[in-house]
Amino acid sequence: MGNCLTSSSPNDVSKKTKALPIETAFRLPSPLPEWPPGEGFASGSIDLGGILVYQCGISLSSTKVWATHEGGPGNLGASFYEPSSLPDGYHMLGCYAQPNNRSLSGWVLAAKDDGSDDSLLRQPTDYTLVWSSESLKIKQDGNGYIWLPVAPQGYKAVGHVVTDTNTKPSPDKIRCVRSDFTYEAENSTWIWGPGKDMNTNAINFFSSRPVNIGTQDMGVCVGTFVATNSALPCLKNVKSNLSCMPNLGQIDALFRAYSPWIYFHPKETYLPSSVTWFFVNGALLYTKVEESKPVPIEQTGSNLPQGGSNDGMYWLDLPVDEANNERVKKGDLQNSQVYLHVKPMLGATYSDIAIWVFYPFNGPAKAKVELIDIPLGKIGEHVGDWEHVTLRISNFNGELHNMFFSEHSGGTWVDVSDLEFQGGNKPCTYSSLHGHAMYSKPGLVLQGSGGIGIRNDTAKSKIVMDTGAQYSVMAAEYLGTTVVEPPWLNYMRKWGPNISYDLADEIKKVEKILPGKLKTAFEKFVNGLPNEVLGEEGPTGPKVKRNWDGDEI
């Protein structure tokens, strides 16, 4: 279902990958609940300003037109489908394709005009054969033919038609869209190509997404695929319609349905707390002009400077006395809570629920240098650590389609079919030891290359956070004054001081236990780490992050 989200390369071909049977379609573990009433959320269709679109799920009952069993991710091939059982009056905009290395899960949009203007959709005037598999010496179910609709003047095709014969499709098979309802798109996830070892013409197929994705960007994913020798746009919500976004009651129901579990490593020392707990347990506000006179922070952060920018004039820190300092560092998991930011994405056809977790302290890092595990001293330590995961939920039906896991300065989108669930439709998240990066599976992730990197160790343990137990909606700008933002959210400065330590000295301490040939490589690796990982700079809060009004990556 992640047609618009992640990127992969045609070089990702491996003959060692074991196939997941695409004939098994993914379904959420539990049925969707009945969502509370509202305006347009989960009503089945969304009005883009005269064009009504409907999200057609691809399932085992959909028509499989063609499949290949070589090439593509894992060298397992891909399958191409037509949506079936379109609602009355709706027309196909393009076929669907996905690689065979995962269970069947996806969708495409179908469209019709709302009756006020019948000039918004048109049949193609002809078709151009983009590619066929006739000459390929690969395992395939017959031959496949990829057609590009030739749109009338003033219209654009937003998807391909796939057939299993060389006969042109009927003009009534698909609809082209008036140009003002289209938006520039770019290639996203690699779906299929013959692979680098096959002596064929280098065709590749990708999912596509809008070139700009953010709360103010109105590009809409169609769910179709694009060939490398074609340039297809996506759709556009021309009237910036937000009536399909969830109201506060629906947000509450959505989060109760999908609230993740966060598992901490069994050796984790530095756990989350609520922001309020951090403040009332002795956190201090410092100013650059009066560093010797820090002040306690009010429970809601009402005495924190509001707005502005991260100008280095203010920062927060732990309590001064050693006993409280060490106690607050460890957090308070029992009374912690998560903070939700809800925002429209992909032309308001999706709701992103960003789930922010606050940790009073980020612990020291540990490196892996080939077979040697090395504690890195103070490297990685900092006060005030904000981490998050994001649920991407379809506004057509309220179904979870993707989840983003933040990982230090980056992160990963994961399709719903690849998530681990527990207790219904609640996904599992694994927080790395001390660094708190989020992952969808337990185990070791090495942040680096060539056998040298920062260890991100995760594991399922008895230390777990049910994010649905205590949460608050801290922001949902599209709801206006319905959601009152806490004062601390508009504190734009640092949530921790800049850490002062000599990086060269820290590296030398580590190098003492390394064989000579590894010392230079290790020093080069550490010097290339961003300040966020090194822990030298105090982190900023959620509203300063790039994903606040943009996409995650």
Side-chain angles (χ1 to χ4, degrees):
M1 296 182 180
N3 298 55
C4 310
L5 302 172
T6 57
S7 298
S8 57
S9 163
N11 292 325
D12 298 339
V13 176
S14 170
K15 295 186 178 181
K16 297 180 181 179
T17 307
K18 186 175 288 187
L20 292 174
I22 200 166
E23 288 76 15
T24 59
F26 171 80
R27 299 182 67 176
L28 284 167
S30 298
L32 294 182
E34 183 175 341
W35 306 116
E39 189 173 352
F41 176 74
S43 63
S45 64
I46 293 176
D47 184 1
L48 303 183
I51 295 179
L52 299 177
V53 287
Y54 179 89
Q55 199 168 59
C56 303
I58 302 299
S59 67
L60 296 178
S61 63
S62 302
T63 303
K64 184 193 287 188
V65 182
W66 178 67
T68 173
H69 304 286
E70 291 184 54
N75 199 29
L76 296 172
S79 297
F80 296 75
Y81 292 82
E82 279 185 9
S84 57
S85 303
L86 299 182
D88 288 344
Y90 281 86
H91 304 280
M92 188 174 83
L93 296 175
C95 288
Y96 172 80
Q98 75 163 61
N100 289 341
N101 67 340
R102 61 182 177 88
S103 297
L104 180 61
S105 65
W107 52 269
V108 287
L109 296 186
K112 71 174 183 178
D113 64 70
D114 67 359
S116 63
D117 186 347
D118 61 3
S119 70
L120 303 182
L121 301 171
R122 283 285 186 270
Q123 293 183 8
T125 59
D126 199 0
Y127 290 93
T128 300
L129 181 63
V130 172
W131 176 85
S132 83
S133 68
E134 285 181 348
S135 62
L136 289 188
K137 306 299 182 183
I138 62 172
K139 298 175 185 176
Q140 56 178 318
D141 297 342
N143 291 320
Y145 302 83
I146 310 297
W147 303 88
L148 176 66
V150 178
Q153 186 175 359
Y155 293 79
K156 293 181 179 180
V158 295
H160 291 288
V161 176
V162 183
T163 64
D164 57 4
T165 74
N166 61 4
T167 303
K168 285 184 180 181
S170 164
D172 191 46
K173 187 75 172 178
I174 198 170
R175 291 296 184 270
C176 302
V177 181
R178 205 170 70 188
S179 296
D180 56 321
F181 278 80
T182 63
Y183 191 97
E184 186 181 356
E186 64 184 6
N187 292 349
S188 182
T189 307
W190 183 45
I191 295 174
W192 186 78
K196 60 184 178 181
D197 298 326
M198 296 185 181
N199 185 22
T200 61
N201 54 321
I203 190 77
N204 282 283
F205 301 110
F206 295 84
S207 62
S208 69
R209 63 185 176 192
V211 292
N212 299 308
I213 300 177
T215 58
Q216 303 301 313
D217 298 307
M218 290 295 117
V220 174
C221 281
V222 184
T224 55
F225 68 93
V226 62
T228 47
N229 56 357
S230 303
L232 297 177
C234 57
L235 290 171
K236 181 180 180 181
N237 185 341
V238 300
K239 69 175 186 179
S240 304
N241 176 24
L242 299 180
S243 64
C244 50
M245 291 293 294
N247 59 33
L248 199 56
Q250 291 166 335
I251 293 171
D252 185 64
L254 286 167
F255 197 63
R256 288 200 309 272
Y258 300 125
S259 53
W261 302 91
I262 300 178
Y263 281 95
F264 302 96
H265 193 277
K267 296 182 179 179
E268 182 61 72
T269 305
Y270 307 107
L271 294 165
S273 78
S274 69
V275 171
T276 298
W277 183 90
F278 180 59
F279 291 165
V280 301
N281 279 272
L284 297 168
L285 170 66
Y286 285 78
T287 60
K288 193 170 185 178
V289 293
E290 294 184 297
E291 291 188 39
S292 62
K293 298 179 180 179
V295 298
I297 305 169
E298 297 294 332
Q299 183 171 332
T300 63
S302 57
N303 63 329
L304 294 173
Q306 299 288 289
S309 62
N310 183 22
D311 53 13
M313 294 299 295
Y314 301 90
W315 63 91
L316 309 186
D317 206 347
L318 298 165
V320 174
D321 63 289
E322 185 175 349
N324 277 327
N325 183 293
E326 291 301 315
R327 179 178 62 85
V328 172
K329 272 185 180 181
K330 295 178 181 179
D332 179 37
L333 181 60
Q334 184 175 355
N335 296 303
S336 61
Q337 66 171 295
V338 297
Y339 303 94
L340 310 185
H341 177 212
V342 188
K343 56 184 179 177
M345 297 299 285
L346 296 165
T349 56
Y350 280 85
S351 293
D352 273 13
I353 302 181
I355 305 161
W356 288 91
V357 186
F358 176 72
Y359 300 78
F361 194 73
N362 192 92
K366 181 181 287 187
K368 184 176 178 64
V369 183
E370 292 190 352
L371 299 178
I372 306 171
D373 290 336
I374 306 168
L376 293 182
K378 295 181 179 180
I379 295 175
E381 290 186 349
H382 62 79
V383 176
D385 184 25
W386 282 101
E387 304 290 347
H388 75 284
V389 292
T390 296
L391 306 173
R392 180 156 286 176
I393 295 168
S394 168
N395 286 343
F396 291 93
N397 53 20
E399 186 171 317
L400 175 66
H401 279 188
N402 304 86
M403 186 169 174
F404 179 80
F405 296 80
S406 67
E407 300 157 10
H408 303 300
S409 56
T412 304
W413 279 108
V414 177
D415 187 84
V416 66
S417 63
D418 293 322
L419 295 174
E420 175 189 348
F421 291 93
Q422 178 181 317
N425 296 332
K426 297 173 180 285
C428 294
T429 302
Y430 296 89
S431 174
S432 67
L433 178 63
H434 290 180
H436 308 141
M438 302 289 199
Y439 296 96
S440 62
K441 306 291 183 188
L444 168 64
V445 176
L446 196 65
Q447 185 180 356
S449 60
I452 300 176
I454 299 292
R455 291 186 65 102
N456 290 279
D457 291 282
T458 63
K460 184 170 283 189
S461 75
K462 294 180 179 179
I463 312 172
V464 61
M465 182 182 192
D466 176 4
T467 60
Q470 295 189 68
Y471 65 92
S472 64
V473 179
M474 65 176 176
E477 291 90 340
Y478 70 92
L479 289 176
T481 58
T482 302
V483 176
V484 179
E485 297 180 358
W488 58 259
L489 180 59
N490 291 294
Y491 169 70
M492 303 299 183
R493 277 77 171 188
K494 294 176 180 178
W495 283 71
N498 288 351
I499 301 296
S500 298
Y501 60 81
D502 190 322
L503 183 59
D505 284 347
E506 296 296 323
I507 292 175
K508 286 178 182 177
K509 293 175 186 176
V510 173
E511 287 179 341
K512 290 179 180 178
I513 61 174
L514 287 176
K517 66 177 183 177
L518 296 178
K519 290 182 180 180
T520 302
F522 175 74
E523 184 174 349
K524 183 179 179 181
F525 163 72
V526 174
N527 282 319
L529 290 172
N531 288 340
E532 181 177 347
V533 176
L534 293 172
E536 292 180 309
E537 293 189 358
T540 51
K543 224 172 191 181
V544 185
K545 309 298 186 186
R546 64 187 180 189
N547 71 311
W548 185 260
D549 55 11
D551 199 9
E552 294 290 349
I553 51 176

